[in-house]
Each structure stands twice: as structure tokens, then as C-alpha cells.
């Protein structure tokens, strides 16, 4: 026998994924800022480089990227789970497909870390390109997600 979830819990579950993803978008922007600072540190010289190194941007970027990877995977799975719990099915459309694409791309991006640590420039360039694609998709996801939340609110 499957336990029944109360209608009010089901309703409020609808908002956990969007809230989490907006926080994740902010973390993504911060991680992008840190990544740019890592690049700036790498290209700097002399006193400027010494000052930038003190910011430990490489460590912070790596940590934020790890958090981002974990939360994006959890958020994607959670969003699909809540949709399934509330509707008995997933709605296969642009929002779902782009979200799955973002989740896949962030896994590939993170998998490039060992190569970047060994100085592979191809991995660094690929990492940056993937992350800009993810940010673009993420921005679009935020807009389409707001539309979905509006539909949920209007049907309440």
C-alpha cells in the first residue's frame, strides 16, 4: 500500500523546486564570477597576481562548482519527483528537456576538472563554453519555470 500525501503537502511541494532553482541560479552566477576571477588571476602578473592569489578564487570556484553540481542534480530529480507525485506523469516539453540537458552538461563540465588541474587548455576552454551554455539555459529555465508556477497558482 502506498502512503497518501495530503493535498496541502502536494500543493506546497510545487514551490520547493522553483525556489531551490532560483537560489541555484544565484549560486551559478557567483560561481561564474569566481571562475572569471580565476582566469584573471591566471593572466595577472606581479603585485596584481599576488593580491588576486590571496582571494583563493580557485578554491572557492571549485567548492561552489561542487555544490552546484550536487544541488542541480538533486533539483532536477526533485522537480521531476514532485511533478510525478502531483500529476502521475512527467510533462515532456522544453522545460524538462532543457533541465535534463543542463544536468548532463554540468556533469560533463565538472568531469573536466582533473584535466584542468593538469593544465589542459582544451579542457578549460570546453569547461567555460559549457558553463556559459548552462547559464543561458538556466536563465531560460527560470523564465519558463515562472510560467509553470503561474499556471499552478491560477489552477489552485
Amino acid at each position: 500500500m502506498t502512503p497518501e500525501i495530503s493535498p496541502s503537502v502536494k500543493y506546497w511541494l510545487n514551490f520547493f523546486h522553483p525556489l531551490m532553482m532560483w537560489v541555484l541560479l544565484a549560486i551559478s552566477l557567483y560561481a561564474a564570477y569566481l571562475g572569471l576571477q580565476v582566469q584573471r588571476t591566471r593572466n595577472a602578473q606581479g603585485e596584481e597576481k599576488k593580491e588576486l592569489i590571496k582571494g583563493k578564487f580557485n578554491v572557492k570556484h571549485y567548492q561552489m562548482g561542487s555544490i552546484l553540481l550536487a544541488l542541480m542534480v538533486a533539483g532536477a530529480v526533485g522537480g521531476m519527483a514532485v511533478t510525478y507525485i502531483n500529476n502521475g506523469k512527467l510533462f515532456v516539453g522544453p522545460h524538462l528537456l532543457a533541465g535534463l540537458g543542463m544536468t548532463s552538461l554540468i556533469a560533463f563540465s565538472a568531469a573536466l576538472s582533473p584535466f584542468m588541474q593538469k593544465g589542459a587548455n582544451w579542457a578549460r576552454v570546453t569547461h567555460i563554453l559549457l558553463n556559459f551554455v548552462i547559464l543561458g539555459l538556466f536563465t531560460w529555465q527560470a523564465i519558463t519555470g515562472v510560467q509553470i508556477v503561474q499556471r499552478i497558482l491560477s489552477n489552485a
Side-chain angles (χ1 to χ4, degrees):
M1 180 171 166
T2 336
E4 186 60 32
I5 299 173
S6 79
S8 83
V9 171
K10 281 184 170 184
Y11 177 76
W12 288 107
L13 278 175
N14 284 310
F15 304 105
F16 182 75
H17 172 76
L19 288 173
M20 179 181 179
M21 297 317 272
W22 276 98
V23 169
L24 218 46
L25 179 56
I27 292 171
S28 297
L29 293 170
Y30 179 59
Y33 163 79
L34 292 171
L36 292 171
Q37 295 308 310
V38 169
Q39 196 66 21
R40 197 170 145 225
T41 303
R42 181 175 284 105
N43 295 328
Q45 295 179 355
E47 281 304 310
E48 182 187 15
K49 186 165 188 144
K50 287 179 186 175
E51 279 304 306
L52 287 169
I53 288 172
K54 290 178 187 175
K56 296 186 179 184
F57 297 114
N58 58 340
V59 173
K60 292 175 186 173
H61 179 68
Y62 190 83
Q63 291 169 338
M64 284 295 108
S66 296
I67 290 168
L68 197 55
L69 173 63
L71 291 179
M72 187 174 289
V73 170
V77 171
M80 289 185 291
V82 168
T83 300
Y84 190 80
I85 287 168
N86 284 327
N87 303 286
K89 65 179 180 177
L90 294 179
F91 298 101
V92 179
H95 189 80
L96 173 66
L97 297 174
L100 290 172
M102 287 168 46
T103 304
S104 300
L105 290 176
I106 199 167
F108 284 114
S109 182
L112 294 169
S113 292
F115 300 102
M116 290 186 290
Q117 289 171 345
K118 292 194 172 168
N121 203 46
W122 66 267
R124 188 168 289 113
V125 169
T126 304
H127 177 81
I128 292 167
L129 287 172
L130 286 173
N131 290 341
F132 274 110
V133 169
I134 291 167
L135 272 177
L137 284 171
F138 214 154
T139 302
W140 182 75
Q141 284 292 93
I143 294 165
T144 60
V146 166
Q147 293 167 348
I148 293 167
V149 168
Q150 288 172 332
R151 246 181 288 144
I152 291 168
L153 290 171
S154 68
N155 291 335

